[in-house]
C-alpha cells in the first residue's frame, strides 16, 4: 500500500449522529455489524432521516470469549430525539 499524502489534522464542526449500542455474546461478533446497521437504518427511515456519512463502528468493551459491547453510529444532518434503543449525540 502506497501512502499518497502526509497525515494531517483537520478541524471540523460538530457532527450529529444516531447510534445503537448493546452487549452481545462473542459467538455473534461476526454478524453484529450487519444487524445493527440494518436496525439503525430502518429506524432512520421510519423517522424520515437520511445519513450524511458512512456508518461508524466502535467496540467499547471486549471480554474475549465471553461478550462484546459494540456501537454502530450514522451521521445525520441535525440533532434529533432518540428512543429506548437509538441514542443520539453530537
Amino acid at each position: 500500500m502506497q501512502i499518497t499524502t502526509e497525515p494531517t489534522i483537520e478541524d471540523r464542526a460538530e457532527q450529529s449522529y444516531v447510534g445503537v449500542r448493546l452487549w452481545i455474546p462473542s459467538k455473534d461478533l461476526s454478524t453484529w455489524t450487519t444487524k445493527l446497521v440494518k436496525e439503525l437504518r430502518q429506524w432512520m427511515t421510519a423517522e424520515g432521516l437520511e445519513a450524511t456519512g458512512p456508518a461508524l463502528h466502535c467496540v467499547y468493551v471486549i471480554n474475549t470469549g465471553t461478550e462484546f459491547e459494540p456501537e454502530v453510529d450514522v451521521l445525520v444532518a441535525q440533532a434529533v430525539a432518540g428512543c429506548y434503543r437509538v441514542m443520539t449525540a453530537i
Side-chain angles (χ1 to χ4, degrees):
M1 178 175 168
Q2 182 181 10
I3 298 175
T4 57
T5 62
E6 291 296 316
T8 61
I9 296 176
E10 185 177 322
D11 288 323
R12 295 182 176 196
E14 294 178 336
Q15 295 179 290
S16 298
Y17 64 90
V18 295
V20 176
R21 179 175 173 178
L22 72 159
W23 286 92
I24 61 167
S26 295
K27 66 180 178 59
D28 295 335
L29 184 60
S30 63
T31 59
W32 72 267
T33 301
T34 304
K35 290 177 183 177
L36 292 180
V37 169
K38 182 178 179 181
E39 177 184 344
L40 189 54
R41 295 224 186 254
Q42 287 174 340
W43 181 85
M44 290 173 64
T45 298
E47 296 294 315
L49 298 172
E50 290 188 27
T52 59
L56 310 170
H57 307 274
C58 179
V59 178
Y60 288 94
V61 178
I62 301 172
N63 292 330
T64 305
T66 309
E67 60 191 356
F68 293 82
E69 187 181 12
E71 181 178 313
V72 172
D73 301 309
V74 175
L75 299 171
V76 292
Q78 61 189 18
V80 296
C83 67
Y84 74 96
R85 179 97 160 138
V86 177
M87 304 175 301
T88 61
I90 296 177

